[in-house]
Amino acid sequence: MTELSAAERFAAAQSRASHPLTAAFAASQRFELDPFQLEGCASLEEGRSVLVAAPTGAGKTIVGEFAIHLAMLTSRDKAFYTTPMKALSNQKFRELTEVYGPENVGLLTGDTNINGNARIVVMTTEVLRNMLYAGSSALRDLRFVVMDEVHYLADRFRGAVWEEVIIHLPESVRLVSLSATVSNAEEFGDWLDTVRGETDIIVSETRPVPLEQHVLVRGDLLPLFDDRAGVAAAQVNQELLRIRSGGGPGHDRKRYGQQARRDADAHRRPHRHGTKQLRSGNARRLERIDRPEVVDLLGRANLLPAIFFIFSRAGCDGAVQQVRRSGLRLTDADERRAIREIVEERTRNLPDEDLAVLGFWEWRENLERGVAAHHAGLLPAFKEIVEELFRRKLVKVVFATETLALGINMPARTVVLEKLEKFNGEARVAITSGEYTQLTGRAGRRGIDVEGHAVVQWSESMDPQAVAALASRRTYPLNSSFRPTYNMAVNLIDQFGRARAREILESSFAQFQADRSVVGLAREVRAAEESLAGYREAMTCDRGDYAEYAQLRQEVSELEKLGRKDANASRATRDERTRRIQSLRRRLQHHPCHSCPERESHARWAERYLKLSKRVERMRGQISSRTGTVARVFDRVVDVLSELDYVARDDDGRTMLTASGRRMRRIYGERDLLVAESLRTGIWDRLDAPSLAALVCALVYEPRRDEAGVGERGLPRGAFRTALTATEDLWQRLDDLERDHHLPGSTPPAPGLSQAMHSWARGSILDRVLTEADMAAGDFVRWAKQTIDLLDQLSLVADAPLATTARTALDAVRRGIVAYAGV
């Protein structure tokens, strides 16, 4: 460790003396805290909120953990820890329980309620939003809220929830916002300072574990950057450029690990697993080596454990099968025994018949080989087991979709990217620099690895310069996706009244960003107006109004230009245009400025004046369209609510909630208006529990783009079909109404999973239900949990007997693998 100078020792001692709680907390950690972590903790100790933006794996959550530590130093204070995903909430719940004990830590994720009145509660952000609107008693004594992965605020589907929470938290609550490195952290921090009070902005772009970038060209790991220039200079390795241009691999390769060097010749020869020979001297046509060989190569180069990011579930499962068929085994006998014990302990409550349907025994055998897949199609319990085994270094290779990169604590020594493009639902698109940073951020385990490794596999279409640009650019902008919803509108009107609600919405980050752009435009307009004044003075004519004369000249010029372009116009149109031009010319000739000897000199200034005037008008239009955009959308939402009688004006002209509006306060989700109207009109009242579950499923389910529509033959019979038809008709009327008010509307109900959910709620076996659903168990569990969430809301807000039916349906769906899939 480098010896500190006398000045540095004095500064450190002063810091410890001025921030004793931070110093004590830092001393209790397993590793020495980085400067940005100490700075964040010190800010909290001084009573300020903080925004911490740092790379994935840098350890920014330690600042959030310090906030919890501060709360627990008192006898009553509470701390909430929010995450964007249930998997993250589950993981943080387990970690905090180990530190503070089960009696002090709770978990609220919509479908899971454990110790909700604890002093430390981990929850999804939506749960906290709902608590704020409901005025929950659990908010009493709340001192800190940690918002992990706060850059989710940019998510176009769920991002608004983060802004709602930030705006509505009591002023006394200190906010700890933890973000990936974003390029506009200062802007976001300025907004937080505006709406939350004193907020320190702490940005770190330093990875605690340096990241080495490589390109895997057949059996060779070539550095992406020239060592002599470094990553900062983004100087691409000349060897890669020669390969790209067709020169073929050279002989001066830098390889990793002595063993990898010894095996160089072996890797150039054909392998058992199907590596094909070079087809020509053109290196861009080099065949990829098979995945088992890549795993073997990384193992011999001491680069395991590794995560392979493959942007498809089928690809992940197929990769595991490839490794299995190759006979590759990455574990010893003791590790296999430990894996089996953990797996059996975590799955002992699942019946054997369900395990058989889930392919459990083959899955367990793959785990015992040290290999696993990780994607949304896996049963949540299976994903949690994979995560635990990987963290314990028992599983050495995970083939994962990009969802693994979203905050789950699964660091690896190496991250492998097989491709640099993915399917976004419509087309194959290149991954962004932000996505590349998020994915490769998993590489490098603090306290274990000296460096992490990112490996990109060579392909025919690869451009090393483009890869270098992805790898060297670390940041991406954070842009608001905030928009008012019906539920938000009724809650704001109920608490604050319509006028104050508009003011609150004007304080959103969305409007803050719009206003920032307006400030820039306004500055341009002011500068342009100064120039216009100068042009106006330069074209001043002592004989008359030259601006008026110039306008006539411009009209003549534009009509003549239009005549040349529109040669095929009708004779009547051409004649009218000619008469107009002749009239304008006569006016020009009679204008006092026409005889001015300085006419053409004035004209040059007038041309600039008119051109800049048009630009100024465009900018003023942009300012007008951006100012108050959020409040204007809010007004349209309220107009729809007013037309449907969810809000009304009292005798004093104030906007108030009706009985239907008060019920809507507790209906959350994309379908808030459709659900509220369905309850009000009673179209679901005759449904039994399985049919209600099936119908609610049609409201939450989002089919894949390639999924064919479901005909009536594939749906439950009887009351369900009548209620579905009525719900679809109601959706159509609401969609028309929204579009009439210039709102975007919504997608129709999707009953593609309704038959399977109906069968599940009637008690059918898992095998039959998954066959009807035609989907993976993990997907079915996810949609079942969203169905449960909406049924739970109905059980609380619907009138009897529908509320009772909703509770019965909820219990019928929450069974088997759906019930087990929580913590």
Side-chain angles (χ1 to χ4, degrees):
M1 187 172 176
T2 306
E3 185 70 24
L4 296 177
S5 68
E8 288 172 328
R9 288 198 302 273
F10 178 73
Q14 272 200 320
S15 176
R16 286 194 296 272
S18 59
H19 300 103
L21 299 179
T22 297
F25 179 75
S28 70
Q29 300 304 303
R30 292 179 291 107
F31 50 84
E32 186 175 347
L33 296 192
D34 291 334
F36 85 91
Q37 295 169 321
L38 291 169
E39 187 182 352
C41 293
S43 293
L44 290 173
E45 187 172 350
E46 291 172 7
R48 293 190 294 276
S49 295
V50 291
L51 164 64
V52 182
T56 300
K60 51 187 172 285
T61 56
I62 201 76
V63 181
E65 289 165 10
F66 179 66
I68 295 170
H69 172 75
L70 288 178
M72 294 303 287
L73 289 177
T74 70
S75 60
R76 301 181 50 159
D77 286 344
K78 292 181 178 180
F80 288 172
Y81 196 107
T82 75
T83 77
M85 295 187 296
K86 292 175 183 177
L88 287 178
S89 294
N90 293 344
Q91 188 176 84
K92 204 67 195 176
F93 170 71
R94 287 193 292 269
E95 292 173 5
L96 291 172
T97 299
E98 289 176 9
V99 177
Y100 294 102
E103 70 280 3
N104 287 316
V105 185
L107 177 67
L108 298 172
T109 59
D111 60 340
T112 303
N113 186 336
I114 301 173
N115 201 15
N117 291 316
R119 290 180 59 199
I120 304 168
V121 185
V122 183
M123 61 187 69
T124 52
T125 316
E126 281 85 353
V127 169
L128 179 53
R129 185 271 311 273
N130 299 352
M131 290 171 68
L132 287 167
Y133 281 152
S136 171
S137 60
L139 297 168
R140 194 177 301 120
D141 298 321
L142 180 61
R143 184 179 175 194
F144 294 102
V145 166
V146 182
M147 300 195 79
D148 203 355
E149 309 284 338
V150 76
H151 49 273
Y152 247 83
L153 179 143
D155 184 86
R156 68 190 183 100
F157 296 110
R158 300 171 57 209
V161 175
W162 274 256
E163 291 192 49
E164 289 179 79
V165 168
I166 292 168
I167 291 169
H168 294 305
L169 276 173
E171 289 182 18
S172 59
V173 175
R174 297 296 87 192
L175 188 66
V176 184
S177 303
L178 307 177
S179 171
T181 310
V182 293
S183 52
N184 59 335
E186 293 289 338
E187 178 187 43
F188 183 52
D190 286 349
W191 174 69
L192 288 172
D193 194 75
T194 301
V195 296
R196 299 295 318 158
E198 286 187 293
T199 301
D200 289 343
I201 304 161
I202 299 163
V203 178
S204 173
E205 297 188 9
T206 304
R207 282 178 51 98
V209 181
L211 184 65
E212 295 287 329
Q213 309 272 354
H214 316 280
V215 177
L216 177 58
V217 185
R218 211 170 183 210
D220 295 312
L221 278 176
L222 304 184
L224 173 59
F225 294 104
D226 189 321
D227 288 346
R228 292 163 294 185
V231 174
Q235 176 89 21
V236 180
N237 184 353
Q238 295 300 307
E239 178 81 359
L240 292 172
L241 296 178
R242 283 195 291 274
I243 294 171
R244 169 69 173 168
S245 63
H251 299 286
D252 58 341
R253 302 183 176 98
K254 177 183 176 186
R255 306 179 63 84
Y256 278 82
Q258 293 297 323
Q259 184 63 45
R261 288 192 181 92
R262 286 197 294 272
D263 292 325
D265 290 336
H267 274 287
R268 291 190 188 97
R269 293 195 298 269
H271 287 259
R272 293 177 301 167
H273 306 307
T275 303
K276 298 176 184 176
Q277 296 277 9
L278 199 63
R279 290 180 295 185
S280 74
N282 185 345
R284 281 177 293 178
R285 299 176 66 190
L286 275 166
E287 295 290 345
R288 288 171 176 265
I289 61 175
D290 286 345
R291 288 173 180 132
E293 289 186 84
V294 178
V295 173
D296 192 34
L297 168 67
L298 295 179
R300 285 184 280 107
N302 196 29
L303 294 180
L304 295 180
I307 298 171
F308 285 65
F309 282 109
I310 303 173
F311 299 117
S312 87
R313 300 176 187 183
C316 293
D317 293 334
V320 172
Q321 293 306 315
Q322 281 183 321
V323 174
R324 176 191 178 91
R325 288 194 299 268
S326 75
L328 194 64
R329 192 180 291 277
L330 305 173
T331 54
D332 58 31
D334 289 341
E335 290 172 325
R336 290 193 289 276
R337 191 178 310 111
I339 289 169
R340 181 169 290 230
E341 287 174 0
I342 292 169
V343 171
E344 290 182 353
E345 169 63 24
R346 296 291 294 271
T347 60
R348 57 190 168 87
N349 291 329
L350 286 172
D352 284 352
E353 58 268 25
D354 285 357
L355 291 175
V357 172
L358 299 169
F360 170 78
W361 286 278
E362 183 179 310
W363 173 74
R364 186 182 66 186
E365 184 183 334
N366 291 333
L367 291 177
E368 290 177 14
R369 288 179 177 274
V371 183
H374 188 289
H375 54 70
L378 277 181
L379 192 68
F382 284 16
K383 281 198 294 185
E384 290 174 9
I385 291 169
V386 170
E387 292 159 16
E388 180 179 347
L389 294 176
F390 193 78
R391 285 195 297 270
R392 292 194 185 193
K393 307 174 200 171
L394 295 170
V395 163
K396 320 290 184 178
V397 172
V398 169
F399 296 98
T401 55
E402 68 268 32
T403 54
L404 180 64
L406 299 175
I408 296 173
N409 181 25
M410 275 184 66
R413 176 164 292 173
T414 304
V415 162
V416 180
L417 300 181
E418 294 195 347
K419 294 180 180 178
L420 294 175
E421 61 177 22
K422 64 177 184 177
F423 186 68
N424 67 356
E426 295 178 351
R428 297 208 69 81
V429 296
I431 65 172
T432 65
S433 60
E435 289 168 332
Y436 183 92
T437 301
Q438 191 86 356
L439 295 168
T440 57
R442 293 284 136 214
R445 299 163 299 174
R446 186 168 185 157
I448 302 173
D449 298 320
V450 177
E451 59 193 14
H453 299 267
V455 177
V456 177
Q457 287 198 255
W458 182 269
S459 67
E460 288 185 22
S461 60
M462 178 179 288
D463 177 3
Q465 297 280 13
V467 180
L470 278 178
S472 57
R473 185 166 175 263
R474 298 285 182 210
T475 61
Y476 55 95
L478 178 61
N479 293 313
S480 173
S481 60
F482 185 82
R483 62 178 179 83
T485 64
Y486 297 105
N487 171 271
M488 186 193 307
V490 294
N491 274 291
L492 288 176
I493 289 171
D494 184 53
Q495 291 188 44
F496 307 106
R498 182 170 182 172
R500 175 75 180 120
R502 288 181 102 259
E503 292 175 11
I504 288 170
L505 292 175
E506 291 285 12
S507 69
S508 67
F509 187 44
Q511 192 58 55
F512 186 82
Q513 288 190 306
D515 289 344
R516 279 283 176 101
S517 65
V518 164
V519 168
L521 284 170
R523 191 181 300 118
E524 286 187 58
V525 167
R526 284 195 299 273
E529 284 174 340
E530 290 177 13
S531 297
L532 286 172
Y535 296 160
R536 196 179 297 112
E537 185 176 344
M539 71 180 186
T540 299
C541 179
D542 58 3
R543 302 196 179 192
D545 184 352
Y546 199 89
E548 182 182 74
Y549 180 75
Q551 187 68 45
L552 292 171
R553 284 177 59 139
Q554 187 178 53
E555 281 191 59
V556 171
S557 174
E558 288 177 351
L559 284 169
E560 289 176 339
K561 191 184 298 181
L562 184 61
R564 289 192 296 273
K565 282 185 178 179
D566 195 13
N568 296 323
S570 67
R571 184 183 182 101
T573 300
R574 294 200 304 273
D575 289 347
E576 175 58 32
R577 192 178 295 139
T578 301
R579 282 193 295 272
R580 177 66 179 152
I581 291 172
Q582 289 172 348
S583 172
L584 288 169
R585 286 194 180 281
R586 284 194 296 272
R587 290 175 63 188
L588 278 171
Q589 290 167 0
H590 290 93
H591 197 283
C593 295
H594 190 67
S595 58
C596 176
E598 301 293 324
R599 184 182 69 190
E600 294 309 310
S601 174
H602 295 329
R604 286 191 291 273
W605 289 108
E607 184 179 348
R608 296 177 192 176
Y609 176 84
L610 293 171
K611 187 175 181 180
L612 186 56
S613 292
K614 281 189 173 180
R615 183 161 167 261
V616 168
E617 284 307 307
R618 283 197 301 271
M619 287 191 290
R620 283 183 176 141
Q622 286 178 289
I623 290 172
S624 175
S625 67
R626 294 181 191 183
T627 303
T629 49
V630 176
R632 279 202 297 274
V633 174
F634 171 74
D635 287 339
R636 293 170 192 158
V637 166
V638 175
D639 287 344
V640 170
L641 290 170
S642 178
E643 195 161 330
L644 294 171
D645 198 34
Y646 285 87
V647 298
R649 289 186 180 276
D650 64 11
D651 294 339
D652 296 325
R654 292 175 301 187
T655 302
M656 307 290 287
L657 301 188
T658 64
S660 297
R662 287 191 291 275
R663 176 155 59 185
M664 185 185 272
R665 287 177 310 170
R666 293 182 291 165
I667 300 173
Y668 302 99
E670 291 288 313
R671 304 282 193 183
D672 48 7
L673 183 60
L674 180 58
V675 171
E677 277 293 274
S678 297
L679 294 180
R680 192 171 69 137
T681 55
I683 57 177
W684 298 344
D685 289 352
R686 295 182 180 275
L687 294 174
D688 60 13
S691 296
L692 182 60
L695 187 63
V696 164
C697 179
L699 300 186
V700 300
Y701 178 56
E702 297 171 14
R704 298 187 302 269
R705 289 179 180 272
D706 58 348
E707 189 170 281
V710 177
E712 284 195 2
R713 291 181 62 189
L715 295 174
R717 298 181 177 278
F720 170 84
R721 293 194 186 181
T722 303
L724 177 63
T725 300
T727 305
E728 290 171 335
D729 291 344
L730 176 58
W731 167 81
Q732 185 66 67
R733 293 196 298 275
L734 294 177
D735 191 64
D736 291 343
L737 180 62
E738 288 177 309
R739 295 182 191 281
D740 288 345
H741 286 84
H742 306 290
L743 291 169
S746 61
T747 56
L753 190 56
S754 293
Q755 178 60 55
M757 194 61 66
H758 189 269
S759 296
W760 181 252
R762 290 176 56 207
S764 292
I765 61 171
L766 179 64
D767 191 19
R768 174 182 170 182
V769 170
L770 292 183
T771 300
E772 287 181 343
D774 189 26
M775 64 174 53
D779 290 320
F780 179 76
V781 168
R782 184 170 76 256
W783 296 121
K785 283 180 170 287
Q786 291 195 33
T787 301
I788 287 170
D789 187 48
L790 184 48
L791 286 169
D792 188 39
Q793 292 181 42
L794 295 181
S795 72
L796 297 174
V797 302
D799 297 327
L802 185 60
T804 305
T805 306
R807 177 56 57 184
T808 304
L810 186 158
D811 293 337
V813 175
R814 187 187 280 152
R815 67 179 181 87
I817 62 169
V818 176
Y820 179 76
V823 172

